[in-house]
Amino acid sequence: MALKPSGSACQSVPESGAGSFSGMAQDPAATAASNNPALSTLVSAVKAAGLVDTLNGPGPFTIFAPANGAFEKIPAETLKAVLADKAQLTDILTYHVIAGQKLSSTQLEDMGTAKTVEGKDLKFTKSGDTLEVNGMASGVCIDVPTANATVHIIDSVVMPPA
């Protein structure tokens, strides 16, 4: 069941063009993200990890996309080191992806947990209209459709457990 995109950051999405909701719905996930200025740091990380072709693949996927502000919460030196470590970066990014399904925020809440491409589970709760991921990241613009995924833009980078 597709829901309309919602959340505090949705108002910054352009009304029309490639970066709009209708534009993103026509493109696969990595291309859609590259047209959204709020996801430019994530796009750089996806490119550095070599995951563009994967995220533009057939899917379907459920993707938790950290907004630029999520990366700004990470100390600059730490972020620089992670971006330079392809293996660690790939683990972190694939921890933000569920393969095989386009899951809405309501479906995620109902499931409670789901296994990521990285191999570990994410936990989902809802606080009012806000989707919470692992109790630390909040959805700021959730239920965004792309051609091959449902994208939930979140306010924190979620680190896989050791």
Side-chain angles (χ1 to χ4, degrees):
M1 171 181 77
L3 300 174
K4 284 183 62 135
S6 65
S8 60
C10 288
Q11 68 238 18
S12 66
V13 172
E15 294 284 319
S16 61
S20 68
F21 290 128
S22 59
M24 288 191 292
Q26 305 304 310
D27 290 325
T31 300
S34 71
N35 292 322
N36 186 325
L39 299 174
S40 59
T41 306
L42 175 62
V43 169
S44 296
V46 167
K47 287 177 181 173
L51 294 172
V52 172
D53 289 343
T54 301
L55 294 178
N56 275 344
F61 302 110
T62 302
I63 300 172
F64 303 92
N68 292 341
F71 289 96
E72 292 166 7
K73 293 179 181 181
I74 299 171
E77 286 301 310
T78 303
L79 182 59
K80 186 177 175 185
V82 168
L83 289 172
D85 183 339
K86 188 173 178 179
Q88 183 183 17
L89 181 61
T90 300
D91 281 349
I92 292 168
L93 292 174
T94 57
Y95 189 57
H96 289 76
V97 179
I98 299 166
Q101 300 179 79
K102 290 177 160 184
L103 298 167
S104 72
S105 58
T106 303
Q107 290 170 309
L108 292 165
E109 178 188 18
D110 290 346
M111 291 169 60
T113 62
K115 187 168 293 303
T116 67
V117 172
E118 187 266 344
K120 297 185 182 78
D121 286 348
L122 286 173
K123 184 174 189 283
F124 309 102
T125 55
K126 239 173 162 185
S127 175
D129 289 336
T130 303
L131 178 70
E132 301 280 339
V133 182
N134 280 9
M136 61 152 314
S138 297
V140 294
C141 187
I142 58 175
D143 297 309
V144 179
T146 70
N148 66 344
T150 298
V151 177
H152 304 282
I153 301 173
I154 56 177
D155 66 357
S156 297
V157 176
V158 184
M159 296 300 194

